[in-house]
Amino acid sequence: MQRYFIEKDNWHENKVQIVADDYHHMVHVMRMEAGDTFIANRYDGQSAICRINVIQETVLEATVEEWLQEESESPINITVVQGLPKGDKWELTLQKGTELGAARFIPFQADRSVVKWDHQKLKKKLPRWQKIVKEASEQAHRTKTPKVESVVTFEELMNESASYDWKFFAYEEATRNYKSFKLHNYFSQIEEGQSIMICIGPEGGFSENEANSLKDAGFQAIRLGPRILRTETAPLYVLANLSYYFEEMR
C-alpha cells in the first residue's frame, strides 16, 4: 500500500486532502481512483489507512478508515552531521540515512570541504534535500520524516551540539588504538530515548584543529572498524550498527 506524508494544513479531523506532487504521483503515476486506499502519515507521527472519496482537477480528498499502531522509529534520537562532500554524496547520506533511522541531518562547512555553497545555491538545494528524505521515509515505512538543516559553520555546529546526550566523531587516528575506541564500549552506555550526534568529516577528514575542538566540546573519537571508510560510507556504517544494537540485539 502506498504511503504519503501529508502536511498539517491538509488534515481536517478524519479527512485529508492531497495536493501538489503527492496528488500527481497518486493520480498520474499510480493511477489511483475513487475507492482506492493508501496510508497517510500525519505531522505528529500518526498514520492511517485512508480511502479516496473524490478526485478533482488539483486535489484528492480521502477519509480515514483506520488509525494504525506502527513502531518503525528508532528508540534513540540520532543526528548525522557531515562535512560537505563532493558531488551527490550528501544526497546519498540523506536517502540511506533516512532508511536507517536518522532523525536529523546537518551539513557543515569543514576545513577540508572542497564544496563551497553560497546562499542562493542553498535556497535551491534545501527543498530537494527535504524531498529526498520525504520519499525515503515513505519507502522505508517510517512514521516521521527526518529534519534537514541548512549548511552551518563549524562554530555553529559546536553550539548546536551542546544539548546532546552523546557526541561522537569518526576520526582516522582512533583506528590506531583498537581496544579503546570500539563502538560497543559506548553503545552499551546509551539509554533509549537519549540523543546522539554523529559527526563525519568530508573526503579529506577532519583537520587537526577541528579534531581538537571536537574533543574540547565533549565529542568522543570513535573507530569504524579497522579500515578507512569513504565519507559517504561512514555515516551509514554507524547508523547500521546503532540500528542493530538498539533494535535487533536488545
Side-chain angles (χ1 to χ4, degrees):
M1 192 177 295
Q2 291 292 312
R3 179 182 298 261
Y4 300 91
F5 283 83
I6 311 302
E7 297 290 337
K8 183 176 182 178
D9 292 342
N10 292 328
W11 284 92
H12 308 282
E13 295 183 356
N14 67 331
K15 305 285 186 180
V16 62
Q17 293 182 327
I18 312 295
V19 296
D21 289 345
D22 288 334
Y23 171 89
H24 172 79
H25 187 266
M26 295 176 74
V27 176
H28 300 296
V29 178
M30 300 306 299
R31 303 292 184 184
M32 289 187 178
E33 300 176 346
D36 288 344
T37 57
F38 63 94
I39 296 176
N41 277 82
R42 203 165 62 177
Y43 53 89
D44 59 0
Q46 289 286 325
S47 56
I49 296 175
C50 298
R51 188 173 298 276
I52 299 173
N53 296 328
V54 61
I55 300 176
Q56 301 177 2
E57 187 174 348
T58 59
V59 62
L60 179 154
E61 296 181 353
T63 301
V64 172
E65 287 205 333
E66 179 187 354
W67 289 102
L68 302 175
Q69 300 297 321
E70 298 184 306
E71 296 183 5
S72 60
E73 295 302 310
S74 173
I76 51 177
N77 193 297
I78 311 168
T79 294
V80 173
V81 177
Q82 188 170 24
L84 277 177
K86 296 183 293 184
D88 59 357
K89 296 175 183 177
W90 174 241
E91 294 186 357
L92 177 67
T93 295
L94 293 175
Q95 184 188 62
K96 302 306 178 186
T98 296
E99 293 178 31
L100 289 167
R104 189 183 184 198
F105 297 94
I106 306 176
F108 76 98
Q109 195 71 56
D111 287 345
R112 294 176 180 170
S113 288
V114 176
V115 177
K116 306 291 182 183
W117 287 348
D118 57 27
H119 181 68
Q120 289 301 316
K121 190 170 184 179
L122 281 172
K123 283 179 63 177
K124 297 178 181 179
K125 287 286 186 180
L126 196 54
R128 174 174 171 79
W129 295 346
Q130 292 167 338
K131 183 178 180 181
I132 288 171
V133 299
K134 176 181 178 293
E135 292 178 349
S137 296
E138 291 169 346
Q139 184 276 326
H141 288 199
R142 292 189 56 170
T143 57
K144 296 180 180 179
T145 55
K147 294 181 180 179
V148 185
E149 308 294 350
S150 187
V151 179
V152 300
T153 65
F154 186 74
E155 290 71 23
E156 289 171 333
L157 174 60
M158 292 298 94
N159 293 332
E160 181 66 29
S161 71
S163 62
Y164 282 77
D165 297 311
W166 294 88
K167 299 178 287 187
F168 304 108
F169 73 110
Y171 193 42
E172 292 87 344
E173 295 298 321
T175 63
R176 297 180 182 178
N177 191 335
Y178 184 84
K179 294 182 179 180
S180 298
F181 297 98
K182 279 187 176 181
L183 292 177
H184 174 76
N185 294 344
Y186 296 112
F187 288 2
S188 61
Q189 302 176 57
I190 299 173
E191 298 179 1
E192 291 189 5
Q194 290 190 315
S195 58
I196 302 171
M197 178 176 279
I198 307 293
C199 195
I200 308 294
E203 288 85 355
F206 295 105
S207 68
E208 186 175 349
N209 286 337
E210 286 173 335
N212 289 333
S213 295
L214 286 164
K215 291 176 184 177
D216 291 342
F219 281 77
Q220 298 288 338
I222 55 173
R223 60 178 268 116
L224 306 183
R227 294 163 293 279
I228 301 300
L229 305 180
R230 290 177 180 269
T231 183
E232 65 270 31
T233 308
L236 308 185
Y237 179 97
V238 181
L239 287 168
N241 275 276
L242 283 167
S243 175
Y244 173 73
Y245 190 91
F246 288 96
E247 297 177 303
E248 299 299 328
M249 194 174 81
R250 285 191 172 183

